[in-house]
């Protein structure tokens, strides 16, 4: 076989290999998510993840990594909504927030994204919280993600400040800390999971609450919300 034919076969096979690798990664992440959520992180082995995904243990390690790396990837992909981690500043909703001119629009865009993320993230984030209580690697991941969230919220608060609409008696750190606490999975689980709020009610409540809490002259009531902050 001449060199031109060999090169052609390599070019032909490269997209196929990439697609196969993506399929394996998707299967592994799906298996890990299911087992971590249903059985728990500590009770799940890599061998069980591999068997559920239909691959070998070595393939799990080569494609993604060990259990803590798998758990981190599940959190990152839940945040991005894809099979790959996407830095916050490259996410579509973050760009949309930056392009919006008014604080109310920025808040609404962020909350719309948040409720979509929590529906993917909440089960695996609770699994991470549980794992962090017994596994040092997971504890580091938990801490790192919490600090990253806090830093991102300080940037969001500064962006809101740039509209000139924030209350002057609140610092950016005040605003960031309140958003950090109310965008947490635990807050979502309390209202949607335990109090049976609908996604729509949670969304309307959070938009209305943040506008009332942070803005100097908020528009009241918000569309879809009663003056008392409860959704219709």
């Amino acid at each position: 076989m001449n060199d031109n034919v060999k090169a052609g076969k390599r070019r032909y096979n490269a997209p196929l290999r990439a697609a196969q690798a993506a399929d394996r990664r998707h299967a592994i992440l799906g298996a890990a998510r299911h087992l971590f959520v249903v059985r728990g992180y500590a009770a799940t082995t890599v061998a069980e993840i591999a068997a559920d995904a239909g691959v070998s243990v070595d393939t799990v390690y080569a494609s993604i990594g060990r259990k803590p790396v798998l758990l981190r990837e599940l959190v990152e992909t839940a945040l991005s909504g894809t099979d790959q981690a996407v830095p916050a500043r490259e996410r579509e909703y973050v760009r949309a927030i930056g392009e919006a001119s008014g604080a109310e629009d920025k808040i609404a865009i962020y909350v719309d994204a948040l409720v979509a993320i929590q529906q993917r993230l909440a089960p695996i984030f609770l699994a991470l919280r549980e794992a962090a209580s017994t596994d040092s690697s997971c504890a580091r991941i938990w801490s790192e993600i919490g600090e990253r969230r806090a830093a991102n919220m300080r940037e969001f608060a500064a962006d809101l400040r740039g509209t000139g609409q924030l209350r002057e008696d609140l610092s950016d750190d005040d605003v960031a800390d309140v958003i950090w606490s109310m965008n947490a999975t635990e807050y979502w689980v309390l209202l949607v999971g335990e109090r049976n709020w609908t996604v729509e009610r949670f969304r309307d409540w959070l938009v209305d609450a943040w506008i009332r809490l942070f803005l100097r002259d908020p528009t009241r009531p918000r569309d879809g919300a009663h003056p008392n902050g409860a959704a219709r």
Side-chain angles (χ1 to χ4, degrees):
M1 185 180 296
N2 63 42
D3 290 343
N4 288 336
V5 173
K6 289 179 181 178
K9 289 191 68 175
R10 284 196 296 272
R11 285 194 296 270
Y12 176 81
N13 289 332
L16 177 61
R17 289 196 297 270
Q20 290 171 337
D23 287 343
R24 286 193 296 270
R25 177 182 171 84
H26 182 81
I28 293 165
L29 288 174
R33 177 184 176 87
H34 171 74
L35 291 170
F36 288 161
V37 170
V38 172
R39 299 190 59 195
Y41 178 86
T44 299
T45 68
V46 174
E48 289 167 335
I49 294 169
D52 200 56
V55 300
S56 70
V57 169
D58 286 345
T59 297
V60 173
Y61 291 144
S63 297
I64 301 177
R66 305 185 71 83
K67 274 175 60 177
V69 180
L70 279 167
L71 191 51
R72 177 189 283 277
E73 284 298 294
L74 288 171
V75 172
E76 298 290 359
T77 54
L79 289 168
S80 72
T82 72
D83 274 353
Q84 301 292 332
V86 176
R89 293 182 182 180
E90 296 178 18
R91 296 173 198 156
E92 183 177 347
Y93 74 87
V94 175
R95 289 195 291 266
I97 290 169
E99 293 168 1
S101 58
E104 293 189 5
D105 287 339
K106 290 176 184 291
I107 288 170
I109 292 166
Y110 177 62
V111 174
D112 283 340
L114 175 65
V115 297
I117 289 169
Q118 288 294 7
Q119 292 175 78
R120 302 187 299 262
L121 177 65
I124 199 65
F125 207 69
L126 294 180
L128 173 59
R129 183 179 68 176
E130 180 182 1
S133 67
T134 58
D135 184 281
S136 60
S137 294
C138 293
R140 285 192 295 273
I141 294 170
W142 176 265
S143 177
E144 289 167 11
I145 290 174
E147 288 301 317
R148 189 177 74 190
R149 281 180 51 233
N152 288 340
M153 291 310 97
R154 284 192 289 272
E155 290 188 11
F156 183 42
D159 191 21
L160 292 175
R161 181 75 61 190
T163 67
Q165 294 176 260
L166 284 191
R167 288 167 44 185
E168 294 178 357
D169 60 322
L170 295 176
S171 70
D172 287 2
D173 284 344
D174 293 332
V175 173
D177 286 348
V178 172
I179 294 175
W180 182 88
S181 67
M182 294 177 74
N183 73 7
T185 293
E186 293 88 342
Y187 192 72
W188 166 270
V189 170
L190 284 173
L191 292 178
V192 177
E194 297 190 19
R195 301 311 304 161
N196 298 314
W197 282 29
T198 65
V199 171
E200 293 76 18
R201 184 182 182 189
F202 182 90
R203 182 265 177 204
D204 289 344
W205 157 254
L206 206 56
V207 170
D208 189 62
W210 286 354
I211 286 173
R212 293 169 185 269
L213 281 169
F214 302 138
L215 304 192
R216 289 201 314 266
D217 186 23
T219 301
R220 300 186 187 188
R222 293 290 296 173
D223 291 343
H226 288 307
N228 66 1
R232 293 188 182 99

